[in-house]
Amino acid sequence: MKVGIITFTDGRKRVADRLREDCFRFQRRISGWLAQEGHDVEEAEEVVWNFATARNEADRMADCDAVIFNFCVWSYPDFTAQAAALIDAPILCMGNINPAYPGWVAFFASAGALDEMGRRFGRALGDVADPKVQASIRAFLRDNDPDERIAGEEAAAELYGQRYGCVDGPSMGMYTGHLDPSQWMEQFGVHVFHVSQLRLAWLAEKVSADRVEAGLQWLEDSCGEILWNDDRLRRGLDGHLARQVRVYLAMKDLCRDEGLDFCGLTGQLDYTEWDKGCTMDVPEALLNDTADWEEGDKEPIVCATECDSNGALTMQIMKLLSRTPVLFADLRHYHEELRVYDLVNSGQHAPWFAHRSDNWRENWKEARLHPSNEMYFPCGGASVQFYADPAERVTFGRITRKSGAHRMHLLRGSFERFGFEEDERLAKMTTYEWPHAYARFDCSPDTLAANFSCNHIHAIIGDHIGALVSACEKLGIEPIVLD
């Protein structure tokens, strides 16, 4: 990366002149370390002490991928703000160890100025020789890699003009799943298309028997096991699984006919209480997955359970970035002895997560269809059970609103597997027949508890924090990274 450094000093010329060499000494130390890391460094030629030097040095950084604002003595925060206003690149504020002068005072005052003007920036506080400070700088540069930022901006731009199918709206009183259609259109360019569950039920009844029969045969051939049950998971074209196949095909057709790019299915409460209804586990799993019997390999259609619309929005942004299925899960439980979270939900885990293979057969052979939980789903039907494959790097995120303004909490982590017997033991502590992803987060449980404000969480494979921060900035969403 090409990294610029601007050093700020006192706004009184006589003081600035006396501190000039000391300021350049700190600048050279940072520059030397960046060069050792393999970066191309653009150093300021003058220490910023007035409006002219602020403007000139900001102009010098025009082609930098990131710029470090360097503080080692007192400086006037208004020059920090003026330089920031002329720089498009991401900014990292660096506060050095120089106790003879109030450099940290300048650091914190400038941080406040940037916050006041709504300019996002990173922070590193301490000696550049300190491994912890070096790790902070590396993390900032990694997250603001220009390729990552471009990918995030492109995903955000692709969202504009899309259509979201909202089937009856959020259920079960979850405010974090609600949306304002006018706000989505104004802020994201996304049209919200409202659909009644009654219409979905009507469309499901009209699906031809041969399409349903083909789906039943495909599931029987593809799944590792179907635990048929005459009371709750009955075979045949009039059986429980057939109803779920009908709903899937009806929703798939509706997305095609109405040009819906992503959707949310309420499922609960009315549809699952109806004796002719069904649990949405199988339809949701199929929509979010990479295969079905009519297309073979297919593009996932993001579908949020319980019509969690902010969840659907999170998932769609993640999908546009990763081009893979996106996890939707309840933040169910933390096993403290294992330092692992059980992420589980009745139907949202696409079977792709079982192996993440390009060959969908490898993924679906891990799936077992269980009779759905009678307490939650009196209508019957199948739940899709499997365990997510391990992954060394996973990006977790969730969009919520605070006082009407969108924000996105982001964190890094991994998926774990403990072996079949241990996975089974853990699953039986919650709802066994649902899919499980065992996750470790890089942030502490205390940090999560103090900051995260939703029962649902979403994930894609790989480290995409930088790109998602960039997408959020493009969309007017406040990104909050939990480390």
Side-chain angles (χ1 to χ4, degrees):
M1 291 175 64
K2 185 172 184 179
V3 183
I5 310 174
I6 300 178
T7 300
F8 296 84
T9 189
D10 198 293
R12 293 160 288 195
K13 189 174 189 307
R14 59 181 175 78
V15 181
D17 287 344
R18 292 180 63 178
L19 298 175
R20 185 174 187 274
E21 288 307 314
D22 200 34
C23 289
F24 274 132
R25 176 171 61 86
F26 283 98
Q27 180 172 295
R28 285 192 294 269
R29 291 187 69 216
I30 298 170
S31 176
W33 179 78
L34 288 169
Q36 290 176 9
E37 292 283 300
H39 298 290
D40 181 14
V41 184
E42 178 72 50
E43 288 194 58
E45 293 184 359
E46 287 293 336
V47 182
V48 171
W49 70 274
N50 66 0
F51 76 92
T53 50
R55 181 186 59 214
N56 292 342
E57 296 308 328
D59 289 344
R60 194 184 311 283
M61 306 296 154
D63 61 345
C64 289
D65 299 315
V67 179
I68 294 176
F69 280 9
N70 183 38
F71 303 96
C72 51
V73 300
W74 167 249
S75 64
Y76 286 16
D78 56 330
F79 297 136
T80 303
Q82 289 175 65
L86 299 172
I87 292 173
D88 291 330
I91 294 169
L92 173 71
C93 289
M94 172 76 190
N96 294 270
I97 303 294
N98 190 21
Y101 298 96
W104 279 24
V105 178
F107 172 91
F108 287 111
S110 291
L114 294 175
D115 277 342
E116 287 282 349
M117 63 187 286
R119 179 62 188 267
R120 283 186 51 78
F121 61 97
R123 303 186 191 211
L125 195 58
D127 196 306
V128 74
D130 184 336
K132 291 183 179 179
V133 175
Q134 293 174 354
S136 294
I137 299 172
R138 287 192 192 103
F140 173 82
L141 296 177
R142 177 195 63 217
D143 289 347
N144 288 282
D145 178 275
D147 291 339
E148 284 290 295
R149 291 190 62 80
I150 289 170
E153 290 173 359
E154 289 177 345
E158 193 172 349
L159 187 68
Y160 192 89
Q162 293 198 340
R163 286 166 62 85
Y164 169 64
C166 181
V167 182
D168 268 0
S171 63
M172 306 174 72
M174 290 183 291
Y175 283 72
T176 53
H178 284 265
L179 65 88
D180 177 344
S182 298
Q183 184 181 22
W184 272 35
M185 178 59 84
E186 185 272 333
Q187 186 170 351
F188 311 126
V190 174
H191 172 68
V192 178
F193 179 79
H194 284 282
V195 187
S196 165
Q197 279 198 111
L198 180 61
R199 180 180 178 187
L200 185 61
W202 172 66
L203 291 172
E205 288 297 315
K206 296 173 74 69
V207 173
S208 64
D210 59 323
R211 295 178 72 195
V212 178
E213 193 167 16
L216 291 171
Q217 188 62 55
W218 186 86
L219 288 167
E220 193 149 15
D221 293 342
S222 302
C223 292
E225 186 178 15
I226 301 180
L227 303 176
W228 297 107
N229 177 296
D230 286 345
D231 292 329
R232 305 201 49 74
L233 186 53
R234 188 174 61 252
R235 291 178 181 268
L237 284 173
D238 63 343
H240 300 91
L241 186 57
R243 294 181 200 166
Q244 293 175 292
V245 169
R246 286 183 177 278
V247 170
Y248 164 66
L249 291 170
M251 194 64 206
K252 177 185 167 184
D253 292 348
L254 184 65
C255 289
R256 179 199 63 214
D257 295 343
E258 295 291 347
L260 303 179
D261 299 282
F262 60 121
C263 61
L265 293 177
T266 308
Q268 302 186 66
L269 296 166
D270 45 5
Y271 206 83
T272 54
E273 299 289 327
W274 181 33
D275 60 0
K276 293 183 180 180
C278 65
T279 170
M280 294 295 178
D281 295 14
V282 171
E284 290 165 351
L286 284 163
L287 286 163
N288 282 299
D289 200 64
T290 60
D292 73 5
W293 54 94
E294 295 188 325
E295 299 179 55
D297 295 322
K298 72 173 183 68
E299 182 180 352
I301 300 173
V302 161
C303 175
T305 195
E306 295 153 357
C307 206
D308 177 354
S309 297
N310 284 322
L313 181 62
T314 308
M315 293 171 72
Q316 185 68 357
I317 293 170
M318 286 181 156
K319 178 201 161 184
L320 293 173
L321 182 61
S322 67
R323 302 296 172 182
T324 67
V326 182
L327 191 79
F328 180 118
D330 282 334
L331 194 56
R332 179 69 174 261
H333 180 67
Y334 179 61
H335 296 280
E336 189 169 6
E337 74 281 7
L338 297 170
R339 296 183 299 109
V340 69
Y341 292 85
D342 185 4
L343 306 184
V344 53
N345 192 275
S346 58
Q348 277 295 314
H349 293 24
W352 178 84
F353 282 99
H355 276 311
R356 305 194 304 276
S357 173
D358 291 336
N359 182 351
W360 56 264
R361 295 170 183 83
E362 294 296 312
N363 305 323
W364 276 86
K365 73 179 182 182
E366 297 296 322
R368 292 179 287 178
L369 301 191
H370 288 252
S372 59
N373 187 295
E374 184 177 7
M375 180 172 67
Y376 295 123
F377 305 117
C379 59
S383 290
V384 185
Q385 193 268 341
F386 60 88
Y387 301 107
D389 225 17
E392 189 173 318
R393 285 280 79 183
V394 179
T395 300
F396 300 89
R398 170 67 196 199
I399 292 172
T400 57
R401 289 187 298 178
K402 184 175 182 180
S403 300
H406 288 91
R407 60 188 179 171
M408 187 175 192
H409 287 90
L410 294 163
L411 56 152
R412 296 178 174 88
S414 60
F415 286 154
E416 305 292 331
R417 288 291 298 272
F418 302 99
F420 188 77
E421 290 186 3
E422 184 69 352
D423 289 344
E424 294 275 283
R425 182 186 74 84
L426 295 173
K428 287 175 180 176
M429 292 182 184
T430 58
T431 306
Y432 172 72
E433 61 267 30
W434 294 350
H436 294 258
Y438 298 113
R440 287 204 172 102
F441 298 155
D442 286 2
C443 74
S444 71
D446 288 343
T447 298
L448 188 75
N451 291 278
F452 202 76
S453 300
C454 188
N455 54 309
H456 294 153
I457 194 166
H458 316 283
I460 48 176
I461 305 301
D463 187 342
H464 299 283
I465 294 288
L468 285 167
V469 168
S470 176
C472 285
E473 290 175 351
K474 188 82 171 177
L475 293 167
I477 298 170
E478 179 189 5
I480 303 172
V481 181
L482 304 181
D483 281 326

